[in-house]
Amino acid sequence: MTLIDGKALSATIKEEIAAEVEKIKASGNKVPHLAAVLVGEDPASAVYVRNKVRSCEKVGFKSTLLKRPADITEEEVLELVHKLNDDDDIDGFIVQLPLPKHINEERITLAIDPRKDVDGFHPVNVGRMALGLPCYLPATPFGILTMLERYGIETSGKHAVVIGRSNIVGTPMSILLSRKSKTGNCTVTLTHSRTKDLPAFAREADIIIAAIGIPEFVKGDMVKEGAVVIDVGINRVEAPDRPRGYKLVGDVAFDEVAPKCSFITPVPGGVGPMTVTSLLLNTLKANRNEVYR
Ligand code: GUN
C-alpha cells in the first residue's frame, strides 16, 4: 500500500510555481495576483481563505483579501464582483462559498467573468470542461487528477466509482475521469444517496473517489483488493480527548480500507492540500492568458 502524500506533493508543486514566478519577475512581466472575497464569519471559510492567501504569499503571488460583513447586500457583493472583473491588476478571484442565506450564490457566480473564474464554478467553465475545451478546472477534481498523474497511477480502461454528485467535486470528477485524456479514459459510475446497493458498485471499482460528506462511509468490505482510494471528505467528529474537542475524518474508514489498497489518500494531508495548489495553478494560467486567448 502506498500512501499518497498530498502535503508533500503540494509543497513540491508550490516550489515549481515559485520558480515560475521568479522567471516572470526576471522577464519584467506582471506577477500573478489572486483576490479572495470572504463574506461573514463562518470559521471554516475563514480558515480556507487564510490558507489560500498565505499560499499566494509563499509562491510569490500578489494577493488581496476582501472581507465583508455578513449583512452585506447581494447588490453590494455584485458591485464588488464587477469591480474585480474590471480590475486589470487582478488575474483571477474567488468568492468563498457558502454565502449568507440572503445572497443568491448562483447570481454571484454568474456575475464573475469566466476569464477570471479561477474556481472554475462559472457555467462557461463547467461547459468547457465537459466538452474538453481549455478551461479552469475546479480545484478539488484538478488536485485529484494531479495526484493520480504524479503518482503514475494508470486510469485508462479502469472502472472508477465516484461516490457523491456535488457540483464542485463528484459531478466534474465523473466527467473528467471519463474523458479521452491523460488522466481519463476510465469507465465511470457516478453513485449517490439514491443509488441502490452502492457497496456493490464500490466493490467493483479499480478507483474510488469518496466525496459524499459522511464520516467513514466507505468500509473495508466495500473495497476491492488493490483498489486506489481517494478520500475527499473532511468531516469534524467529536473527540473529547483532542485539544479542540474534535478530530477530522474522511469519508473512508481508513484503518479498515488502507490495508486493501494499492494507493490511498490520508485525511488530513491528502486531497485537502492539493486544492490550494490547484487554485494557484489556475491563477498562474490566468496570469498567462492560457485559457482564454
Ligand atoms: N467553499 C468550499 N470549497 C470552495 C472552493 O473551492 N471555492 C470557493 N469559492 N468556495 C468554496
Side-chain angles (χ1 to χ4, degrees):
M1 186 270 290
T2 301
L3 198 63
I4 300 180
D5 189 340
K7 201 172 162 191
L9 179 54
S10 157
T12 302
I13 295 173
K14 279 182 191 161
E15 281 171 22
E16 294 168 7
I17 297 171
E20 288 303 311
V21 174
E22 286 309 313
K23 282 190 211 161
I24 291 169
K25 279 185 184 162
S27 61
N29 287 325
K30 195 184 89 64
V31 163
H33 185 181
L34 175 77
V37 178
L38 174 63
V39 179
E41 305 295 332
D42 180 60
S45 289
V47 171
Y48 293 145
V49 170
R50 197 178 332 129
N51 219 337
K52 291 170 185 178
V53 170
R54 274 198 197 143
S55 297
C56 282
E57 285 161 12
K58 206 162 169 193
V59 299
F61 286 6
K62 211 171 143 185
S63 66
T64 300
L65 173 57
L66 299 148
K67 275 171 93 169
R68 294 294 181 271
D71 62 358
I72 188 174
T73 66
E74 187 173 299
E75 292 308 318
E76 285 169 328
V77 179
L78 282 173
E79 251 172 61
L80 186 55
V81 166
H82 291 140
K83 230 170 86 183
L84 293 168
N85 284 343
D86 294 340
D87 186 337
D88 287 340
D89 195 63
I90 288 168
D91 296 298
F93 67 96
I94 62 155
V95 179
Q96 187 67 25
L97 304 178
L99 290 168
K101 295 263 178 297
H102 66 280
I103 301 174
N104 182 340
E105 287 182 356
E106 203 175 283
R107 201 165 165 227
I108 303 301
T109 303
L110 279 167
I112 297 173
D113 184 337
R115 287 170 297 188
K116 293 194 174 188
D117 170 39
V118 285
D119 259 334
F121 289 173
H122 191 285
V124 167
N125 280 312
V126 179
R128 291 173 75 114
M129 175 202 66
L131 295 172
L133 297 169
C135 66
Y136 298 112
L137 293 179
T140 304
F142 187 12
I144 293 169
L145 294 182
T146 306
M147 288 199 297
L148 294 172
E149 188 185 344
R150 296 278 185 126
Y151 273 80
I153 295 168
E154 181 61 70
T155 55
S156 184
K158 299 295 162 77
H159 182 200
V161 172
V162 179
I163 306 175
R165 57 180 158 184
S166 71
N167 287 346
I168 64 173
V169 186
T171 295
M173 200 69 243
S174 69
I175 293 168
L176 290 164
L177 286 171
S178 69
R179 289 209 58 81
K180 192 170 185 172
S181 61
K182 200 164 43 179
T183 40
N185 291 311
C186 286
T187 303
V188 176
T189 304
L190 178 56
T191 66
H192 45 75
S193 56
R194 303 289 177 91
T195 298
K196 283 193 187 132
D197 199 2
L198 193 155
F201 287 107
R203 276 191 287 272
E204 294 296 317
D206 302 308
I207 300 170
I208 292 179
I209 313 287
I212 196 157
I214 300 173
E216 301 184 325
F217 177 82
V218 177
K219 309 286 189 222
D221 64 2
M222 287 165 63
V223 178
K224 180 167 88 173
E225 204 65 47
V228 175
V229 174
I230 307 294
D231 189 351
V232 182
I234 306 177
N235 308 289
R236 278 188 187 191
V237 297
E238 274 187 44
D241 56 323
R242 297 291 178 95
R244 290 196 176 89
Y246 69 86
K247 63 174 179 171
L248 294 180
V249 301
D251 290 354
V252 175
F254 185 88
D255 293 346
E256 290 176 24
V257 171
K260 301 180 85 172
C261 295
S262 55
F263 292 89
I264 187 167
T265 62
V267 175
V271 173
M274 295 299 297
T275 61
V276 177
T277 310
S278 302
L279 180 66
L280 298 176
L281 287 170
N282 278 346
T283 306
L284 190 60
K285 281 186 185 175
N287 173 264
R288 291 173 167 168
N289 277 325
E290 272 176 21
V291 175
Y292 294 87
R293 289 185 181 276

